[in-house]
Amino acid sequence: MDYFNNTEFYTRYGTNTKSKEGLKFYSGMDRDSVFKKQENFCKQKGIFITDIVKEIKPKRFYGINDNFRDTEVDKAVLYWNTLEIIELINNCSLEKILLTFGNENNTIKNISLEIEKIEDKLSKGLVISHLKSPSGAAGLSYDKIVEDWRLHLSEIQ
């Protein structure tokens, strides 16, 4: 989102440059102020972000804050957000839903099943797109993510 918030900065300095004034949190920054900036950006652009997972209980906490993989999350879910997401979608006028994992991913079976439940309950005509994951665990470069997301978020630039 930081790229779309400040395209000029990244055009000038490149996507590998850290914007200390941007929407992405980096070590040493104030987490609350970054969150406020993210929240304001989403409100201004009409973006709502949620997670399919409500609560997890992992078998171990080692590495949970360091690229904790979706495959690990998939095995540790206690509660899903599925019903709440379906209710929200049905009560709002949305243009599209963007998912940050591929629909061909069969390594996260439980998450995929919950997403299928949501897709089955949606009104026809609602656009559902799968974006490349911004998660560090996905191992993608910022350039690759921006290139993919630009296809789906061009209207917010």
Side-chain angles (χ1 to χ4, degrees):
M1 296 290 179
D2 196 37
Y3 175 86
F4 299 101
N5 184 50
N6 195 354
T7 305
E8 297 82 26
F9 174 87
Y10 290 103
T11 301
R12 183 173 182 185
Y13 299 108
T15 55
N16 289 327
T17 306
K18 294 179 180 179
S19 172
K20 295 291 185 171
E21 302 301 317
L23 301 177
K24 184 167 173 45
F25 175 80
Y26 294 103
S27 181
M29 295 172 72
D30 179 56
R31 193 173 297 276
D32 290 334
S33 68
V34 172
F35 177 78
K36 276 289 185 209
K37 286 189 238 178
Q38 293 169 345
E39 187 177 46
N40 289 335
F41 173 81
C42 289
K43 283 179 182 178
Q44 289 172 356
K45 302 297 183 178
I47 297 171
F48 176 77
I49 298 173
T50 190
D51 200 317
I52 189 70
V53 176
K54 186 183 286 185
E55 184 177 337
I56 63 171
K57 185 174 182 180
K59 291 181 182 174
R60 60 184 174 82
F61 285 91
Y62 175 77
I64 199 163
N65 291 320
D66 184 30
N67 296 335
F68 194 60
R69 298 192 168 282
D70 287 343
T71 52
E72 295 298 317
V73 172
D74 196 56
K75 298 176 204 170
V77 175
L78 282 180
Y79 302 107
W80 297 98
N81 233 356
T82 310
L83 296 176
E84 291 87 346
I85 292 171
I86 292 169
E87 183 178 335
L88 178 81
I89 291 168
N90 288 335
N91 291 325
C92 294
S93 59
L94 304 174
E95 292 178 26
K96 60 178 124 180
I97 295 175
L98 305 173
L99 304 169
T100 58
F101 65 90
N103 54 351
E104 73 288 336
N105 192 339
N106 59 7
T107 61
I108 49 174
K109 292 179 182 0
N110 296 318
I111 293 172
S112 295
L113 285 171
E114 295 303 308
I115 293 297
E116 283 178 26
K117 288 178 189 176
I118 292 171
E119 290 176 340
D120 288 345
K121 298 289 184 186
L122 298 180
S123 34
K124 302 297 180 219
L126 187 60
V127 176
I128 301 171
S129 299
H130 296 266
L131 284 67
K132 296 198 181 303
S133 175
S135 164
L140 299 171
S141 72
Y142 199 51
D143 286 334
K144 290 277 186 210
I145 295 166
V146 167
E147 180 183 318
D148 180 60
W149 283 42
R150 186 182 288 133
L151 299 172
H152 305 281
L153 296 172
S154 59
E155 67 274 6
I156 68 168
Q157 287 182 295

